[in-house]
Amino acid sequence: MACIIEDDEGDNAVMEPPYNFSTVEEGVYRAGCPRPSNFAFLETLNLRSIIYLCLEPYPEENMEFLRAHHIQLFQFGIEGKKEPSFAAPTDAIREALKILIDVRNHPVLIHCNHGKHRTGRLVGCLRKLQNWCFSSVIDEYKCFAGIKSRTTDVKFIEIFDATCLRQSIHSILYRYQGYSTGKRRLLCGENDGHIPQVASV
């Protein structure tokens, strides 16, 4: 897939998004690992941060792109094997979510190698924080994982407890301020609550 963008001189420039690229919501994107051929497209997103969910070191050519565009990298090493333990990635997903819901890090791109399993887990847990119904969360996960969807990922998303994050100040800002719009985010089934104490990320 590629997109055609007209430049300032009226010429058409073909830009290639990363594999499995999609918008999660305004200012939040997901994809597989970008290649150099995707860098021109990434420039159009004006990214402030990247959340990388693999154990391997970030590719040096990608690091050069991040440095050139002053993009901050947050790496959370999560194993990509088919049968991960449930305990191992929970803390990493929770810490990645804290980065993800901090609107100061937006626009942000989430990616692993293929944008399917680890990225799908993080986005699925974000949807739980947004109070999506579970069937919709899993439908979205399967849309990106396709025939390679994993029951272990589905189970992980199902048992993940997002309630602790709802008490963080970044979660309050995320829900009520949103990214760059000044509009209150629309979440399903919100309840009024007390303003929490500031929590460090």
Side-chain angles (χ1 to χ4, degrees):
M1 181 182 71
C3 61
I4 300 176
I5 298 177
E6 187 173 292
D7 61 22
D8 294 336
E9 298 178 355
D11 297 325
N12 291 331
V14 178
M15 297 189 181
E16 180 185 352
Y19 174 73
N20 238 357
F21 176 84
S22 184
T23 299
V24 177
E25 61 178 37
E26 184 182 2
V28 180
Y29 309 97
R30 61 178 293 168
C33 188
R35 299 173 299 171
S37 59
N38 308 135
F39 291 169
F41 176 82
L42 293 184
E43 287 179 5
T44 69
L45 303 180
N46 297 313
L47 293 174
R48 187 174 292 174
S49 309
I50 283 181
I51 296 176
Y52 174 54
L53 301 173
C54 299
L55 288 168
E56 299 80 15
Y58 208 55
E60 182 55 35
E61 54 196 354
N62 291 40
M63 283 300 304
E64 291 177 5
F65 175 81
L66 267 56
R67 285 191 288 264
H69 293 82
H70 309 288
I71 300 170
Q72 186 168 6
L73 176 68
F74 296 95
Q75 181 171 0
F76 299 91
I78 299 174
E79 292 186 15
K81 58 186 180 182
K82 293 183 178 180
E83 300 297 334
S85 66
F86 288 109
T90 300
D91 289 343
I93 291 291
R94 185 178 293 112
E95 292 304 309
L97 266 178
K98 290 180 182 179
I99 298 299
L100 182 56
I101 64 175
D102 187 340
V103 295
R104 296 172 298 180
N105 297 320
H106 295 184
V108 57
L109 173 67
I110 310 160
H111 78 82
C112 49
N113 282 333
H114 302 292
K116 295 179 179 180
H117 304 111
R118 286 167 282 196
T119 298
R121 258 186 267 171
L122 179 57
V123 173
C125 293
L126 171 68
R127 298 310 192 191
K128 289 191 72 174
L129 186 63
Q130 295 174 321
N131 294 323
W132 278 33
C133 68
F134 185 65
S135 61
S136 295
V137 174
I138 300 309
D139 284 347
E140 182 182 41
Y141 166 82
K142 291 182 177 179
C143 178
F144 289 91
I147 60 173
K148 294 187 177 181
S149 61
R150 298 173 180 170
T151 55
T152 49
D153 289 338
V154 172
K155 187 65 176 177
F156 178 90
I157 295 168
E158 180 181 11
I159 66 175
F160 182 82
D161 183 10
T163 55
C164 61
L165 287 171
R166 293 196 179 99
Q167 303 306 312
S168 76
I169 190 63
H170 296 308
S171 179
I172 297 295
L173 290 172
Y174 171 79
R175 285 181 282 166
Y176 286 84
Q177 175 182 334
Y179 161 67
S180 77
T181 61
K183 297 179 180 178
R184 187 178 185 277
R185 289 182 183 273
L186 298 178
L187 303 185
C188 302
E190 283 188 337
N191 295 315
D192 293 333
H194 298 293
I195 300 297
Q197 297 296 317
V198 176
S200 60
V201 176

